[in-house]
Amino acid sequence: MSFVDQFQLAVPVIQAPMAGVSTPLMASSVCEAGGMGSIGAGATDAAGARAMIEEVRNHTSRAFNVNLFVHRSAQADAKREDAWLEFLGPLFAEFGAKPPETLRTIYKSFADDPEMLAMLLEMAPPVVSFHFGLPSADALSALRARGIYLMATATSLDEAHAIEAAGIDAIVAQGIEAGGHRGVFDPAGPDDALGTMALVRLLVRKSRLPVIAAGGIMDGAGIAAALDLGAAAAQLGTAFVACPESAADAAYRAALAGSGACHTTLTSLISGRPARALANRFTALGDSIAGLRPPDYPIAYDAGKALHIAAKALGEHGFGAQWAGQGAPLARTMPAADLVRTLLEEFENCRA
Ligand SMILES: Cc1cc2nc3c(=O)[nH]c(=O)nc-3n(C[C@H](O)[C@H](O)[C@H](O)COP(=O)(O)O)c2cc1C
């Protein structure tokens, strides 16, 4: 059975999980409009994720996706962290603030979070997806035994093979165009930076799993193109950031609607892992850090968030994590359900 038929989707669209930006209301609105909504639970704990799942279920009985981060556990390194804080010091000073004394690992990998696994086994959401890697074989078999459909992000053929070998049900093929964090399993390893078109085609031809195309898809024509490449559905993130249901603040929305949207850039400086963001003062720091490496993800994010808070308090919004993909200038401001209906109409027009 096709992915669309299995989940009775009216439109082959998954609203991307976007930790800190997508909301349960966005997910349920997308589900009710005929797409698949997602919750980004990567940056919360089991109690937070449980509350999100309950909120979605209060508004829809349709299939939705719960997304977890499965990064390699952060390695604390006091020397590297001190050097990073020293580098950021003058920026904090510009906003009359001091950098944090020490940096924390602000959230756990799903691989280290048995409470999250227990909660998922109890709540049994219809779909669970993984970003940055895969959990243990035991965790996967327990989730599968609860009838949960499993998906994982791949940015390369090697990652796709690992996903297939682990018995996952579908692959999210994330191209370099995509907004937010790149799902690469090993951020220190080589990255061929494959675009969505080449990656989707590679995975469709070289794996047996359904492939969900992600990266730079903003409208019905993009969805139709992804399906023409053999994708089972398209996963759209940036397209939903400007929806009223998103948690993006006013400055993020303004930046997305402004000229910066034409200049997205990949940076590891904000969180410690490569992610595509709207060009801003934070991403511009890349030009001035010769030889310096931010701490491990998500330790660096603790500093990044503190800097953003200090700057924002004085009206400087250029240090926010304003994630967006290369299609950002095509983002539309409309309720998520209207966006899903618009995507369906555009997609059908492409097929007419
Ligand atoms: C604001 C934002 C936050 C994101 N957060 C997550 C996340 O929590 N988990 C995840 O798997 N992907 C996340 N992504 C990546 C998306 O899953 C997807 O790969 C990407 O949005 C597709 O590219 P597009 O933004 O061009 O549509 C995020 C993307 C954005 C734009």
Side-chain angles (χ1 to χ4, degrees):
M1 202 195 301
S2 76
F3 183 83
V4 161
D5 290 342
Q6 181 159 357
F7 296 107
Q8 298 177 357
L9 303 181
V11 55
V13 166
I14 301 176
Q15 163 253 309
M18 296 183 281
V21 173
S22 62
T23 59
L25 181 60
M26 177 186 286
S28 58
S29 303
V30 167
C31 291
E32 286 296 291
M36 181 182 284
S38 303
I39 305 173
T44 187
D45 58 10
R50 176 192 291 273
M52 288 167 139
I53 292 172
E54 282 168 351
E55 198 180 334
V56 173
R57 283 200 162 132
N58 284 341
H59 292 98
T60 188
S61 54
R62 299 179 59 84
F64 61 98
N65 165 38
V66 179
N67 176 257
L68 285 319
F69 294 157
V70 201
H71 48 282
R72 216 182 23 213
S73 314
Q75 300 299 310
D77 176 341
K79 228 168 117 188
R80 194 164 144 208
E81 286 145 30
D82 287 348
W84 188 242
L85 289 173
E86 195 179 320
F87 167 69
L88 295 180
L91 289 166
F92 278 94
E94 182 183 331
F95 306 110
K98 284 206 167 98
E101 300 261 304
T102 51
L103 294 177
R104 297 163 306 129
T105 299
I106 51 176
Y107 32 75
K108 277 186 193 168
S109 168
F110 179 58
D112 307 324
D113 196 347
E115 288 91 17
M116 186 72 87
L117 176 61
M119 184 280 296
L120 289 174
L121 294 174
E122 181 199 331
M123 301 290 278
V127 180
V128 165
S129 66
F130 307 111
H131 205 49
F132 303 145
L134 293 168
S136 68
D138 284 352
L140 291 175
S141 26
L143 291 164
R144 253 193 314 268
R146 283 292 275 141
I148 300 171
Y149 187 91
L150 301 175
M151 309 197 292
T153 306
T155 62
S156 68
L157 191 54
D158 281 351
E159 288 167 358
H161 284 151
I163 289 168
E164 190 162 359
I168 301 281
D169 298 297
I171 307 175
V172 178
Q174 188 198 39
I176 192 73
E177 300 92 328
H181 282 96
R182 250 173 104 52
V184 282
F185 287 14
D186 177 7
D191 182 352
D192 291 317
L194 298 174
T196 306
M197 185 185 259
L199 180 64
V200 167
R201 211 52 212 139
L202 264 173
L203 303 197
V204 165
R205 291 191 45 189
K206 295 199 177 280
S207 110
R208 280 162 305 151
L209 298 183
V211 174
I212 315 292
I217 302 170
M218 300 299 290
D219 57 17
I223 297 164
L227 267 65
D228 285 345
L229 293 173
Q235 178 161 304
L236 283 64
T238 305
F240 285 91
V241 171
C243 293
E245 294 89 346
S246 113
D249 66 11
Y252 188 174
R253 290 169 190 274
L256 185 60
S259 58
C262 295
H263 308 287
T264 65
T265 179
L266 267 183
T267 182
S268 298
L269 305 186
I270 299 177
S271 73
R273 254 188 175 267
R276 184 173 295 282
L278 300 170
N280 64 13
R281 279 194 67 189
F282 215 145
T283 65
L285 290 180
D287 302 332
S288 60
I289 58 153
L292 196 60
R293 219 157 43 100
D296 261 14
Y297 173 90
I299 298 174
Y301 216 172
D302 196 20
K305 283 174 188 277
L307 178 57
H308 171 52
I309 289 168
K312 192 172 168 177
L314 291 198
E316 167 56 85
H317 298 281
F319 289 95
Q322 296 166 337
W323 309 131
Q326 290 180 340
L330 301 178
R332 295 173 277 198
T333 304
M334 59 171 86
D338 289 355
L339 179 56
V340 173
R341 284 189 280 269
T342 304
L343 293 171
L344 174 58
E345 204 179 300
E346 292 169 345
F347 174 66
E348 284 177 344
N349 284 342
C350 288
R351 292 291 186 242

